[in-house]
Amino acid sequence: MERRYIGQDRASVRVETRDGDKPVIVGVASVFYDGSPATEYVLWDDQYGRAVERIMPGAFDVPIKGNQDVRGLFNHESSSVLGRTASKTMRLSVDTKGLNYEIDPANTTIAADVTEHL
């Protein structure tokens, strides 16, 4: 299984307080390629060549418009679910910069740890 991470300097994730005291995890799940090297992700760069990944606008149209069950996971771990679109505990949206999410964390240990450390 391949897992890719971006540095905290490029990641946009935070906890907002809404409706009095209800925490919401808000962030950018994926950034669209805008022509700059900062928005492409190096897959490899060695003596054999270089390959980069570029996420183009429109890449998330099907999951956004369809009824797919998209899960918000902590560190890409399938056992660490923070929210799901099917249960309406996660909402996805797209803007000119990329794919955004809002998660209403449940009363779980992993959700408490994430909201405490953001």
Side-chain angles (χ1 to χ4, degrees):
M1 176 185 299
E2 180 177 341
R3 295 181 184 170
R4 294 184 215 151
Y5 301 91
I6 59 173
Q8 205 49 31
D9 59 325
R10 290 179 22 202
S12 173
V13 62
R14 65 193 179 280
V15 175
E16 295 180 357
T17 303
R18 297 183 183 169
D19 297 329
D21 61 350
K22 182 180 173 187
V24 179
I25 302 169
V26 178
V28 178
S30 184
V31 177
F32 292 140
Y33 177 67
D34 67 4
S36 71
T39 58
E40 61 185 13
Y41 306 93
V42 177
L43 300 174
W44 70 81
D45 190 0
D46 58 23
Q47 73 269 21
Y48 301 109
R50 183 172 195 264
V52 296
E53 176 181 71
R54 296 174 177 166
I55 312 239
M56 304 307 287
F60 302 107
D61 288 351
V62 171
I64 294 288
K65 293 177 184 174
N67 285 331
Q68 296 185 7
D69 183 18
V70 180
R71 296 175 296 157
L73 306 175
F74 177 71
N75 278 347
H76 299 258
E77 290 291 336
S78 61
S79 62
S80 299
V81 178
L82 295 170
R84 297 174 76 153
T85 56
S87 65
K88 298 189 184 342
T89 56
M90 182 171 73
R91 293 161 300 286
L92 300 174
S93 64
V94 174
D95 62 16
T96 58
K97 292 185 179 185
L99 177 66
N100 305 294
Y101 61 87
E102 295 182 348
I103 298 173
D104 304 321
N107 187 17
T108 63
T109 303
I110 190 69
D113 287 347
V114 169
T115 56
E116 179 68 26
H117 293 6
L118 284 179

